[in-house]
Amino acid sequence: MIKILAACGAGVNSSHQIKSALETEMADRGYEVTADAVMVKDITEEMMQHYDIFTPIAATDLGFEPSIPVIDAGPILYRIPAMAAPVFDQVEEAIKNLNK
């Protein structure tokens, strides 16, 4: 199981849309993925240790350097396949590199 951390400013809307889109698309591509949606301000280094991939809505200064792949998932929200596909491809590449 691949664990993804999705984050936005409020942890309510955008991160949940990213979560849903990633779980659906990665399942369609044959990967077992689960995602959690949180507020950016609540992310800690300890929290991030429980995830394989971090997908914020935009580049974010967390106050520490993430030790997992970080993929800007904001383009998923435009719901334009040509913009979302590269994000999904990056997530898939990160999954492949995990060797799980």
Side-chain angles (χ1 to χ4, degrees):
M1 174 69 69
I2 304 300
K3 292 186 71 177
I4 298 175
L5 181 62
C8 69
V12 177
N13 189 20
S14 298
S15 58
H16 282 272
Q17 290 179 45
I18 291 167
K19 165 191 167 43
S20 178
L22 286 172
E23 288 176 340
T24 299
E25 179 68 21
M26 292 303 109
D28 289 349
R29 293 183 182 205
Y31 298 99
E32 196 173 337
V33 167
T34 185
D36 292 325
V38 299
M39 294 175 71
V40 169
K41 73 173 189 65
D42 292 337
I43 297 172
T44 64
E45 282 185 86
E46 181 183 345
M47 173 193 285
M48 199 164 283
Q49 292 174 6
H50 300 281
Y51 294 91
D52 301 301
I53 300 169
F54 178 45
T55 57
I57 188 173
T60 304
D61 181 4
L62 299 170
F64 62 91
E65 201 58 43
S67 60
I68 59 176
V70 178
I71 299 166
D72 178 354
I76 289 173
L77 301 176
Y78 293 114
R79 297 195 173 131
I80 299 170
M83 295 180 79
V87 176
F88 295 136
D89 292 345
Q90 289 176 10
V91 171
E92 182 175 23
E93 188 64 30
I95 290 170
K96 288 178 182 177
N97 290 334
L98 291 172
N99 297 318
K100 279 192 162 186

